[in-house]
Amino acid sequence: MKKFIVLFILIAVGYLSTVYIVNQSDTRLNTRNLQLYHHEKMDLLSKKAFTVLNENGCQYCHTSDSEMPFYASLPIAKQLMEKDVATGLRHFNMKPLLTQMQNNESISEVDLAKIESAMEDNAMPPNLYLTMHWGSKLSSDERQTLLAWVKAQRHKHYPEPVAERAFQNEVVQPISTTFTTNVDKVALGKTLYHDTRLSGDNTVSCASCHDLTMGGVDRLRTSTGVNNAQGPINAPTVFNAVFNTHQFWDGRAADLQAQAGGPPMNPIEMASGSWQQIIDKLAQDGALSQSFNHLYTDGITGDNITDAIAEFEKTLVTPNSRFDQYLKGNTKALTATEQEGYALFKTNKCTTCHVGEAMGGQSFEVMGLKKPDYFSNRGNYTDVDNGRFNATGDTNDLHRFKVPTLRNIALTAPYFHDGSAITLEDAVDKMALYQVGVQLSKSDINKITAYLHTLNGEYDGQLLK
C-alpha cells in the first residue's frame, strides 16, 4: 500500500512539475509573441480581445507559422501537436484575423461567427489541451471580452442593421445592401448574359447554366455545354453571387468579371476558340457594336464583355424573403414550424459558415469536416473533389469548397459541388452528419428544411419560385 502511495505521489509531482514548466514556457512565448504584433491601430476592446487570443495558445493550432513551445520537438508531443495543428487549421486559420485586427480592417463574418460559437459553447481551448496548459483556460471575463468584441465588430464593419432589435446581433441578416451600377452597362450585360454567340457553336449562353427562371441554376447534377458535353461540377446559383468573396466552387476567380471570363473559353462549357472569335461575331451586330462604342472607348473587347456581364450580375440580388421580413419584425412571416427550424439551424451550428446577408460565400470549408469519409462513402473521386487545392496548391485547401449561399436554396437542387444530394432534406441530413457530426432526426430535418424554404427572395419585384 505504501509503495502505491509513493508511486502516486511521484506521478502527481511529476505531472504537476510538467504542467508548471509547460505553463511557464507558454507564458514566456505568448509574451514574446504579443511583442511582435502591432497594436497602434486597435481600439481598447480590440486590444483586449487580441491579448486574450494570444495569451491562451490559440495561435499554436490555428496558425501555420507560430513559434511553437520547446516541447513541440520532443517525441510523442511532436506527433500529437502536428496532428492538433492540422486539425486546428482545417477548422479555422486565424492568421488573416490577427492581421485584420492589427490593421483595424473588416473582420470576416465567418471568423466572427466561429469565435462567437466557440465562446458560447465553451469549446475552446479543448479539454485535452487544458490537461497540460492550465493557464490557457479562458475565464468568464475573457469569454465575455471576445463576445463583446465580436458584437462590436459586426456593428462597426457591416451594414447598419435593419433587423428588429432582438435580431441585430444575429449572424444572419436581412438582405439590405445595394450595389452601385451603371444602368447602360447593366442593360448591355443582360443582353450578353443571354447571348449564345459567346459559345463556339452559338448554342450556349450564360443563362443556359444559370437560368434566372430556375433559381439561377440549371437544376442538373452537372451542367451541359456545347455538343451536349457534360461538365464535371454542379452549377452554383448566380443570384446573390455579388456577395461572394470569390467565384466558382474552388474560388479560382477573384470577382464576377473574372468568373464571367471562364466559361466562354472552357472547351466543355461554351468552347469558343478565342475572344477574337466572339468579338468578330458580335461586331456584326450594329446595335450591339453601338452600345459598346458608347460605353467603352475601345469598343468590343473580352474585358469589356466580361465587365458588362459582371455589372448585370451585380443586380441579381434577391431581398425581401419571408425570413427577411421575420428578422425585420414581422413575427407572422414564419410559421411555428419554420421558426423551430431556424432555431435548430442555429443550434446545429449552420450559422457558423452560412453567415451574413447572403448566408454563405465568405469562406472555404472542408467537405467532411467532422466525418472525413464523405468522398470514400460517395465513391467516384474526381479532380474537382480536390476543391480549393486546385486553385492554390496548398494541401490545407484539399477538399475545401466555397460555402454556397442559402438564399433561394429550395429552388436550386441538386446540392453540393457534386450534385449528389438530390433533395433539400438529403442535403440537410448530410451537412449535419459530415460537417457538424450530428445525426438529425427526421423531424428535425423536416423543420430545418421548412425554414430553408422561407429564404426565397424577390427579383425584379417578383418572388422567385
Side-chain angles (χ1 to χ4, degrees):
M1 185 65 180
K2 289 183 178 179
K3 290 182 179 180
F4 176 78
I5 294 174
V6 171
L7 179 61
F8 176 80
I9 292 173
L10 289 175
I11 291 174
V13 170
Y15 169 66
L16 293 173
S17 298
T18 302
V19 167
Y20 175 78
I21 294 171
V22 165
N23 282 274
Q24 287 295 105
S25 172
D26 286 346
T27 298
R28 288 193 297 271
L29 185 55
N30 291 334
T31 299
R32 189 159 66 248
N33 283 338
L34 272 173
Q35 292 172 345
L36 296 176
Y37 289 114
H38 304 289
H39 306 85
E40 296 84 3
K41 297 181 181 180
M42 296 187 203
D43 57 47
L44 181 59
L45 181 57
S46 294
K47 287 180 181 178
K48 289 182 178 178
F50 193 87
T51 300
V52 171
L53 292 172
N54 280 277
E55 284 188 343
N56 292 280
C58 304
Q59 73 276 12
Y60 289 163
C61 295
H62 294 285
T63 64
S64 59
D65 58 355
S66 171
E67 181 183 355
M68 301 300 281
F70 73 93
Y71 50 84
S73 60
L74 300 178
I76 301 177
K78 182 176 187 293
Q79 287 74 27
L80 288 174
M81 292 195 71
E82 286 177 349
K83 182 180 179 181
D84 287 345
V85 170
T87 301
L89 287 174
R90 280 172 68 85
H91 284 76
F92 180 24
N93 181 357
M94 64 184 294
K95 186 61 182 290
L97 167 78
L98 297 176
T99 300
Q100 290 160 354
M101 290 180 76
Q102 291 179 85
N103 295 330
N104 192 26
E105 297 171 345
S106 176
I107 309 295
S108 162
E109 290 183 279
V110 175
D111 290 356
L112 294 176
K114 287 180 178 181
I115 291 175
E116 183 177 60
S117 177
M119 293 304 99
E120 290 177 344
D121 294 345
N122 199 20
M124 286 288 140
N127 289 329
L128 182 60
Y129 179 82
L130 291 175
T131 59
M132 295 300 296
H133 301 262
W134 289 6
S136 294
K137 184 175 178 61
L138 294 178
S139 68
S140 176
D141 286 346
E142 289 175 319
R143 293 183 185 281
Q144 290 306 313
T145 292
L146 289 176
L147 288 171
W149 174 75
V150 166
K151 184 175 182 180
Q153 291 300 301
R154 286 195 182 121
H155 286 287
K156 180 178 181 180
H157 292 292
Y158 292 98
E160 188 70 24
V162 297
E164 187 74 10
R165 176 177 288 275
F167 297 120
Q168 286 186 0
N169 196 46
E170 293 284 295
V171 176
V172 179
Q173 288 293 306
I175 291 180
S176 61
T177 299
T178 56
F179 298 90
T180 302
T181 56
N182 180 304
V183 176
D184 292 332
K185 284 186 179 182
V186 168
L188 175 59
K190 183 176 183 180
T191 297
L192 294 168
Y193 184 86
H194 293 88
D195 198 325
T196 58
R197 289 174 293 185
L198 270 63
S199 64
D201 63 358
N202 302 324
T203 63
V204 177
S205 70
C206 303
S208 299
C209 299
H210 303 282
D211 192 329
L212 302 186
T213 69
M214 299 172 62
V217 299
D218 52 17
R219 297 182 182 169
L220 300 174
R221 183 164 185 168
T222 62
S223 295
T224 302
V226 297
N227 298 318
N228 293 316
Q230 294 301 305
I233 202 163
N234 183 258
T237 181
V238 70
F239 281 120
N240 303 302
V242 65
F243 289 102
N244 295 339
T245 59
H246 296 73
Q247 305 298 329
F248 294 120
W249 284 101
D250 60 9
R252 64 185 182 275
D255 54 31
L256 289 173
Q257 183 175 6
Q259 186 280 327
M265 299 302 130
N266 187 298
I268 296 177
E269 296 180 53
M270 301 174 83
S272 285
S274 67
W275 280 110
Q276 192 59 51
Q277 178 187 6
I278 296 173
I279 292 167
D280 290 343
K281 286 189 287 185
L282 298 182
Q284 297 176 30
D285 186 324
L288 197 64
S289 295
Q290 186 176 359
S291 294
F292 271 100
N293 291 332
H294 172 70
L295 292 166
Y296 302 98
T297 57
D298 49 353
I300 305 176
T301 69
D303 284 345
N304 294 343
I305 290 170
T306 55
D307 178 71
I309 293 173
E311 197 76 356
F312 167 63
E313 290 180 340
K314 290 179 186 177
T315 69
L316 301 180
V317 177
T318 61
N320 204 33
S321 68
R322 285 199 292 123
F323 178 59
D324 286 349
Q325 295 171 34
Y326 174 74
L327 292 179
K328 292 178 181 179
N330 181 3
T331 57
K332 295 181 180 179
L334 267 59
T335 67
T337 298
E338 291 163 348
Q339 291 183 41
E340 289 179 38
Y342 179 46
L344 288 166
F345 184 81
K346 293 189 289 184
T347 299
N348 286 286
K349 303 303 175 185
C350 307
T351 51
T352 306
C353 300
H354 293 287
V355 302
E357 296 176 71
M359 301 181 67
Q362 295 193 38
S363 68
F364 298 87
E365 304 296 339
V366 175
M367 189 68 170
L369 185 65
K370 293 293 187 180
K371 197 172 183 293
D373 53 357
Y374 172 81
F375 292 103
S376 59
N377 288 345
R378 189 208 64 190
N380 300 314
Y381 192 92
T382 69
D383 285 344
V384 298
D385 293 324
N386 294 334
R388 184 141 176 78
F389 172 80
N390 288 334
T392 67
D394 184 345
T395 54
N396 189 51
D397 285 333
L398 188 64
H399 303 155
R400 285 188 190 276
F401 297 89
K402 185 185 67 185
V403 175
T405 172
L406 293 186
R407 296 291 182 171
N408 314 300
I409 192 69
L411 306 176
T412 61
Y415 303 102
F416 308 158
H417 77 283
D418 53 15
S420 63
I422 306 303
T423 67
L424 192 51
E425 289 83 359
D426 187 26
V428 170
D429 183 27
K430 287 179 177 176
M431 278 289 100
L433 180 62
Y434 288 103
Q435 301 307 104
V436 188
V438 173
Q439 183 69 68
L440 294 175
S441 67
K442 186 174 181 180
S443 174
D444 285 354
I445 291 173
N446 289 339
K447 288 176 181 177
I448 293 174
T449 302
Y451 158 66
L452 295 175
H453 275 269
T454 72
L455 301 179
N456 294 353
E458 295 179 354
Y459 174 61
D460 274 351
Q462 298 294 318
L463 183 68
L464 293 179
K465 297 180 180 179

